Amino acid sequence: MNGSFRLKNLLLIACTAFVLTACSSKKDEEYNKPAIYWYNKMLKQIASSDLDAADDTYTSLESEHRNTPFVPTAMLILVNAHIDEEEYALANFYLDEYIKRFSLSKDIDYARYLKIKANFLGFKYQFRDQQLIEDTLTQINEFKVKYKNSPYMPLVDTINSRLYMAKASMDKEIAELYIRRDKELGSAFYDQKVKNSWVEPTEIVPVDVPYYRAIFE
């Protein structure tokens, strides 16, 4: 008798816990909210440095209100937040989507500047990011042609100069490597590339690479 009573009590407790959990899940699940609700919630999450939650909230905003003007603004805010956290891949994900969807936006030059900035800041390995440098220099050249009057041009010019210096530094190191291996033709080829990349090779400052990483460069 007592065993049966205890079993019934355990089943009642288990059922109650299940119902409460289900109700709690439904309470936590949010949907069908106004665009301004999702937008403000995302801003609060970014302010509290919870970017994972902010990404999820943006997904809700974009899913429920795809054509709201809050979407492009939210994307650029998330881009800057991810750049600040050095999450350049995520920043580029939003930028690629923004450029694809809002190519006629008045802020398209800003988005393309941020793309250049994210690539530049993502350049971390002196001798392993050659393609990233080349791709970013191509983007800079396109920016200069398309957005000649952009207020972001001075910033793009600064990045351009620093990337050319990095490229020249890379070519200079390769030229010296060929010298050490007694390959004069290869050294001369990269020396010429240095001169083409930078007016005065003696101005090139070597990249300061930590010793523990330099051995792998």
Side-chain angles (χ1 to χ4, degrees):
M1 180 74 175
N2 287 339
S4 176
F5 179 75
R6 283 197 298 272
L7 179 59
K8 287 180 180 179
N9 278 345
L10 287 172
L11 288 173
L12 179 62
I13 291 169
C15 289
T16 302
F18 175 79
V19 171
L20 289 174
T21 301
C23 291
S24 174
S25 297
K26 288 181 180 179
K27 184 178 179 181
D28 292 338
E29 183 182 352
E30 293 184 313
Y31 57 91
N32 197 28
K33 299 288 187 181
I36 187 65
Y37 172 85
W38 295 121
Y39 182 76
N40 285 337
K41 182 176 181 180
M42 186 198 77
L43 293 181
K44 290 177 183 177
Q45 290 163 335
I46 291 174
S48 61
S49 299
D50 191 353
L51 290 190
D52 288 340
D55 289 330
D56 289 340
T57 300
Y58 167 78
T59 299
S60 296
L61 169 66
E62 201 274 340
S63 299
E64 294 188 4
H65 306 279
R66 184 173 176 80
N67 296 320
T68 177
F70 286 113
V71 165
T73 303
M75 291 173 79
L76 292 178
I77 291 172
L78 280 170
V79 165
N80 279 293
H82 283 297
I83 287 176
D84 287 344
E85 292 298 316
E86 299 183 2
E87 296 172 349
Y88 305 117
L90 280 169
N92 272 313
F93 168 79
Y94 285 112
L95 284 166
D96 289 340
E97 185 66 16
Y98 184 98
I99 291 168
K100 182 172 68 176
R101 288 178 58 184
F102 306 110
S103 60
L104 300 179
S105 166
K106 64 180 177 60
D107 294 320
I108 190 64
D109 64 326
Y110 179 55
R112 290 192 177 276
Y113 154 68
L114 288 177
K115 178 83 174 169
I116 291 168
K117 178 182 177 180
N119 284 347
F120 172 68
L121 293 176
F123 172 58
K124 292 185 179 296
Y125 297 99
Q126 184 182 5
F127 303 122
R128 282 184 276 165
D129 287 337
Q130 294 98 323
Q131 192 58 50
L132 179 61
I133 290 179
E134 295 292 346
D135 291 345
T136 307
L137 287 172
T138 298
Q139 292 170 17
I140 288 172
N141 288 334
E142 291 173 354
F143 188 95
K144 287 174 172 289
V145 171
K146 291 182 178 178
Y147 311 108
K148 295 179 180 178
N149 299 317
S150 172
Y152 307 104
M153 187 64 78
L155 297 171
V156 170
D157 281 335
T158 298
I159 293 174
N160 188 50
S161 295
R162 296 184 68 177
L163 283 178
Y164 267 111
M165 183 176 285
K167 188 176 185 304
S169 176
M170 193 180 302
D171 290 336
K172 185 178 179 184
E173 288 287 341
I174 295 172
E176 290 175 357
L177 176 62
Y178 274 119
I179 284 290
R180 291 195 295 272
R181 295 187 177 182
D182 296 322
K183 295 184 177 181
E184 295 182 3
L185 288 178
S187 177
F189 175 79
Y190 279 95
D191 271 333
Q192 187 59 48
K193 289 188 70 173
V194 172
K195 293 173 184 176
N196 293 340
S197 298
W198 200 254
V199 176
E200 180 50 63
T202 58
E203 294 178 353
I204 299 172
V205 179
V207 179
D208 184 17
V209 180
Y211 75 91
Y212 56 83
R213 209 176 73 196
I215 58 176
F216 298 107
E217 292 290 347

